[in-house]
Amino acid sequence: MLDWVNYQKELMGRIGELGALTPDTLKGYQALSAAGAKTAHLDAKTRELIALAVAVTTRCDGCITVHSAQALKHGATREEIGEALGVAVALNAGAAMVYSARVLDAVSAHRPG
């Protein structure tokens, strides 16, 4: 599908270019990314598993490659990653159900009389 390792290297280079153009944007992103580690309520592996599920729901290839590598680095197993991805699938289906209900509500609101 993709050469994920090479893609991550290329992506980091481009993000470095963006950081040179707008350093405060990169600093702000880095502060957000590091915030969870400072509270330490969740361990690094759990945060990475959550990040992978969110990466799927937001369709972020860059997030997928970075957080896959980090999840493995922090000891996540293929089975744990699979379970996190199952949560992402369920949430996407759930979101589709919720937004389907919203469509029906909008259709009712627009229906004459």
Side-chain angles (χ1 to χ4, degrees):
M1 292 171 53
L2 281 178
D3 179 348
W4 292 100
V5 174
N6 192 48
Y7 171 66
Q8 183 176 352
K9 290 175 187 173
E10 290 177 14
L11 179 62
M12 292 302 106
R14 292 290 183 211
I15 289 174
E17 290 176 28
L18 178 62
L21 293 169
T22 177
D24 286 343
T25 299
L26 184 57
K27 287 177 192 170
Y29 169 77
Q30 290 169 330
L32 286 171
S33 293
K38 290 182 180 177
T39 60
H41 297 297
L42 297 174
D43 64 16
K45 179 175 81 171
T46 301
R47 283 193 309 276
E48 293 303 332
L49 291 169
I50 292 168
L52 284 173
V54 172
V56 167
T57 62
T58 59
R59 297 170 181 91
C60 176
D61 284 342
C63 302
I64 288 170
T65 191
V66 169
H67 293 290
S68 290
Q70 289 298 307
L72 293 170
K73 175 184 170 187
H74 291 293
T77 65
R78 191 169 176 86
E79 292 77 15
E80 289 169 325
I81 291 169
E83 190 168 329
L85 298 177
V87 172
V89 170
L91 250 57
N92 278 323
M97 293 295 290
V98 169
Y99 273 83
S100 294
R102 291 174 67 87
V103 167
L104 293 176
D105 189 49
V107 167
S108 294
H110 287 289
R111 183 175 284 155

